[in-house]
Amino acid sequence: MIFPPSYFFFFFSLVLGSIISISSTSWFGAWIGLELNLMSFIPLIALKMNSFFSEAALKYFLIQALGSVLFISSSFLFLSFSSFSMLSILLALLLKLGGAPFHFWFPQVMEGLKWPQVFILSTIQKFAPMTLMSYLMINEVLIKITIFSAILSALIGSLSGLNLTLLRKIIAFSSINHLSWMLIAISISDTSWLFYFFVYSFILLSVTSIFHKLQTFSLSSLIQSDQNSIFHAIIISLNFLSLGGLPPMTGFIPKWVIIQIMVNLNLLVPLFFLLLSALITLYFYLRIVITLILLFNPILNFNMKHKSLTRNPLLSLSKVLFQLFSSLLPLM
């Protein structure tokens, strides 16, 4: 069981907070939704009396509280100083998202979480701030600041992920890199970033569910886990390649759409940095994938665990088919 039954109330209020925030007609209502979302996620982090969980919960609370204070203070100034207020709200939302240059807290908090909480922090917790950020994309200055933040996030998320062996930090910097694509998409249109967000969420759900089942938190423990069949290695490898955006995997489809839109809008300089960062992230994904493929043989496998992924073969097969979905696009 991922959560104790009593914690499903907090998960429900977490989703409710996001819904209140994105459907509010005022900044004050949006702030209430963000606060409900924050206070619901703290108990989900501290599932057990553990120093790592407590540290992650405290760091997350302090950063989100700082962002909330900046958010509500800026909204009070909206009628008198609208331009400054909108800029401050944008910076507060970037701080809540963990986008560069306010990314410093995200990998540290991620390191103290379990895999289900990693998924929630990387997807559900980002939905409301990104939706509120899309409401601000009516000002040219704010659009340029968002594009600049996207370029920084792309470079930091790709370069900082090199030479890492801890899987949660790799996923954290990968999330920062994917956030750069979503920030660019937010500055372009609502449809493109929503499409990218949902595809990324499904891929990350597949990755985190596998890691949670194997209870692996580092590259060495992943290699030593149950990889004694080629099918298991293929599932994890396809998920990583799709997360990296390698064609013809499903993760390439939203990137392809955004690339075409950016070319049509002559956003060639941001596109160069995004593509460069995508190649760098693909490098450290390929490093993991090649290791998995080489060690799928039982003779080469230093297998210390016996946690099979084939208890639910239909679920495993659905993960494979989802990652290969985009290969059917030319036929369509």
Side-chain angles (χ1 to χ4, degrees):
M1 184 179 294
I2 296 177
F3 296 116
S6 59
Y7 282 85
F8 282 98
F9 169 76
F10 294 108
F11 183 77
F12 172 75
S13 60
L14 181 143
V15 176
L16 181 63
S18 298
I19 295 175
I20 292 174
S21 184
I22 64 178
S23 60
S24 175
T25 57
S26 64
W27 290 117
F28 182 73
W31 173 77
I32 292 177
L34 291 176
E35 288 300 298
L36 179 61
N37 182 273
L38 163 63
M39 299 310 296
S40 301
F41 188 55
I42 299 296
L44 295 180
I45 298 177
L47 282 174
K48 298 178 181 178
M49 295 302 293
N50 187 296
S51 59
F52 292 104
F53 296 154
S54 301
E55 181 183 356
L58 181 60
K59 287 180 179 178
Y60 183 78
F61 174 76
L62 292 176
I63 292 296
Q64 296 296 317
L66 177 61
S68 297
V69 169
L70 182 59
F71 183 89
I72 192 64
S73 301
S74 303
S75 62
F76 289 152
L77 302 175
F78 191 79
L79 295 177
S80 301
F81 309 97
S82 60
S83 299
F84 176 75
S85 175
M86 292 173 68
L87 176 60
S88 300
I89 290 175
L90 179 67
L91 295 179
L93 293 175
L94 280 176
L95 178 62
K96 282 182 165 293
L97 283 172
F102 310 109
H103 66 282
F104 52 88
W105 63 271
F106 195 77
Q108 299 179 17
V109 172
M110 191 82 82
E111 188 62 25
L113 304 180
K114 286 186 173 294
W115 286 115
Q117 289 88 335
V118 166
F119 170 75
I120 294 174
L121 180 61
S122 301
T123 54
I124 300 176
Q125 293 299 96
K126 291 187 176 183
F127 184 69
M130 284 194 293
T131 305
L132 295 176
M133 187 178 291
S134 66
Y135 300 157
L136 298 172
M137 295 297 107
I138 55 176
N139 191 323
E140 287 293 330
V141 176
L142 299 183
I143 293 176
K144 291 180 180 178
I145 293 174
T146 304
I147 294 175
F148 178 72
S149 177
I151 294 174
L152 279 182
S153 299
L155 294 177
I156 291 172
S158 58
L159 296 176
S160 301
L162 295 174
N163 299 324
L164 288 178
T165 58
L166 300 176
L167 292 176
R168 283 175 295 190
K169 279 199 171 182
I170 291 176
I171 295 298
F173 286 112
S174 169
S175 181
I176 295 174
N177 181 262
H178 282 283
L179 180 63
S180 66
W181 290 86
M182 286 184 272
L183 288 177
I184 288 287
I186 286 173
S187 65
I188 295 173
S189 67
D190 290 337
T191 307
S192 55
W193 84 261
L194 284 171
F195 177 58
Y196 193 105
F197 176 80
F198 285 115
V199 172
Y200 170 69
S201 299
F202 279 116
I203 298 173
L204 190 63
L205 177 62
S206 179
V207 172
T208 53
S209 62
I210 292 175
F211 288 161
H212 177 69
K213 191 173 186 62
L214 296 176
Q215 286 298 303
T216 56
F217 297 100
S218 65
L219 186 56
S220 60
S221 62
L222 178 64
I223 294 172
Q224 293 173 3
S225 62
D226 183 16
Q227 295 303 318
N228 54 1
S229 73
I230 185 64
F231 186 65
H232 299 164
I234 285 176
I235 292 178
I236 299 177
S237 301
L238 287 179
N239 278 286
F240 272 121
L241 292 178
S242 185
L243 201 60
L246 183 71
M249 305 300 171
T250 304
F252 175 68
I253 302 177
K255 288 187 177 181
W256 188 13
V257 172
I258 294 176
I259 288 171
Q260 287 185 326
I261 296 175
M262 292 179 70
V263 170
N264 293 334
L265 295 177
N266 290 324
L267 297 173
L268 301 181
V269 175
L271 180 60
F272 169 77
F273 287 104
L274 290 183
L275 292 178
L276 179 64
S277 68
L279 290 176
I280 297 175
T281 54
L282 193 59
Y283 164 74
F284 57 77
Y285 286 135
L286 283 174
R287 185 183 62 179
I288 301 174
V289 168
I290 291 172
T291 307
L292 289 176
I293 293 176
L294 289 177
L295 294 179
F296 81 89
N297 194 327
I299 299 176
L300 299 177
N301 185 22
F302 309 104
N303 193 3
M304 304 299 292
K305 300 179 182 179
H306 299 280
K307 296 180 181 178
S308 177
L309 295 175
T310 55
R311 293 177 183 174
N312 194 342
L314 184 61
L315 181 60
S316 301
L317 183 61
S318 65
K319 292 177 181 177
V320 174
L321 294 178
F322 177 74
Q323 306 307 336
L324 297 175
F325 173 74
S326 65
S327 59
L328 302 176
L329 283 181
L331 299 177
M332 296 178 184

